Amino acid sequence: LLFLIWIEGDIAFSRKKSAVVAPSDQEKSLGGSSGEDDVEIERLRVEATDADQLRVLHMTKTFGDNVAVDDVTVGLQQGEVLALLGPNGAGKSTLVNVIQSDLTADKGQAYLCGSDSRTRVAQTHLGVCPQYDAMDLLTTRDQLMMYARIKGVENPRANVDFVMAKLGLSPHAKKQSNKLSGGNKRKLNLAIAILGIPPVLILDEPTSAMDAVAKRAFWKIIETIAPQHSILLTVSSHP
């Protein structure tokens, strides 16, 4: 138990510290490596402020010779929704995994509400909806209650009831989560992510395996909760 605490805790010596590399004045004057005005404007804005709820600064992650994330700088304010669009293998999920500290960046740093994203304090500001569905023999309500207690949510029963009502899961409260429809499984993942109302939400391909009707309903839910959060989405594009 002590070994696991040491590995998962902020004092783990095995956790590699990524380097934050600020661009030189020459790089700024040249407009960065992208050459696109909107990308350059965003980079300069994020570097100049620490008010964004999610800040990613010059994030780079490689796997051998493969550069999965290449010098990404982006920030999200409250009520802002940003979609990362790209084909499978473009590095979207890698960026998400670095932000939530499943992976360590080679260069760069991410901040959640001003705190280093690798710290326990920062992780309390983050809710993540992964690509995979929550498959379990627990009922919808029991699964949400379990995650609420793990997160340390105050008054978990009231919080779970509120989230289920908001996402339309109340009629399925007593149904086993592995027997839910595809759309309701994704809703359950989103419900787990927003338990405790974290200010930053990361939704990794949240509408995968959904039909068109379920996707439209899901995006309506995202539109409803967006004003209270900063939301980073990943969406696959197909040629």
Side-chain angles (χ1 to χ4, degrees):
L1 177 59
L2 292 175
F3 178 73
L4 289 175
I5 293 174
W6 175 68
I7 290 295
E8 294 293 337
D10 300 330
I11 60 173
F13 298 117
S14 59
R15 176 177 289 166
K16 183 174 67 174
K17 300 296 184 182
S18 57
V20 178
V21 180
S24 64
D25 292 337
Q26 182 179 6
E27 288 174 327
K28 290 182 179 180
S29 65
L30 292 175
S33 58
S34 67
E36 299 180 8
D37 291 342
D38 53 348
V39 175
E40 176 65 6
I41 291 171
E42 173 67 3
R43 180 177 70 83
L44 295 175
R45 186 194 69 79
V46 175
E47 291 173 353
T49 180
D50 58 0
D52 291 344
Q53 294 189 149
L54 171 63
R55 295 176 71 219
V56 177
L57 295 170
H58 303 285
M59 189 71 72
T60 299
K61 178 64 180 178
T62 61
F63 298 95
D65 295 331
N66 180 31
V67 181
V69 178
D70 187 10
D71 194 22
V72 172
T73 296
V74 69
L76 288 178
Q77 304 173 22
Q78 182 177 348
E80 190 171 2
V81 180
L82 175 68
L84 301 177
L85 180 65
N88 291 335
K92 305 184 301 297
S93 294
T94 300
L95 179 61
V96 168
N97 288 332
V98 171
I99 294 173
Q100 63 180 338
S101 297
D102 282 350
L103 295 173
T104 300
D106 298 325
K107 295 180 181 178
Q109 185 59 60
Y111 296 92
L112 297 167
C113 296
S115 299
D116 188 329
S117 66
R118 295 170 296 185
T119 64
R120 286 188 293 270
V121 172
Q123 293 299 312
T124 63
H125 304 308
L126 178 66
V128 179
C129 177
Q131 290 186 31
Y132 51 84
D133 293 323
M135 298 292 289
D136 203 284
L137 298 178
L138 293 174
T139 65
T140 300
R141 179 185 294 279
D142 288 342
Q143 186 153 185
L144 287 170
M145 286 293 295
M146 178 187 70
Y147 278 101
R149 292 188 175 105
I150 290 173
K151 288 185 173 185
V153 173
E154 295 182 4
N155 199 352
R157 186 171 299 277
N159 198 289
V160 167
D161 289 342
F162 171 78
V163 169
M164 285 197 304
K166 195 172 187 69
L167 300 185
L169 289 172
S170 297
H172 310 285
K174 297 183 179 180
K175 185 180 293 186
Q176 289 183 358
S177 55
N178 62 347
K179 294 182 179 179
L180 295 172
S181 65
N184 284 326
K185 286 177 181 177
R186 302 307 292 162
K187 286 182 183 179
L188 176 56
N189 267 17
L190 179 60
I192 292 170
I194 66 176
L195 280 171
I197 319 299
V200 180
L201 292 178
I202 295 180
L203 312 181
D204 195 5
E205 300 193 22
T207 59
S208 59
M210 279 188 181
D211 58 44
V213 175
K215 284 183 178 180
R216 181 176 292 272
F218 193 89
W219 291 127
K220 286 291 185 182
I221 293 172
I222 299 302
E223 184 179 3
T224 302
I225 67 174
Q228 294 82 38
H229 303 274
S230 300
I231 301 179
L232 180 66
L233 293 162
T234 69
V235 182
S236 288
S237 62
H238 303 283

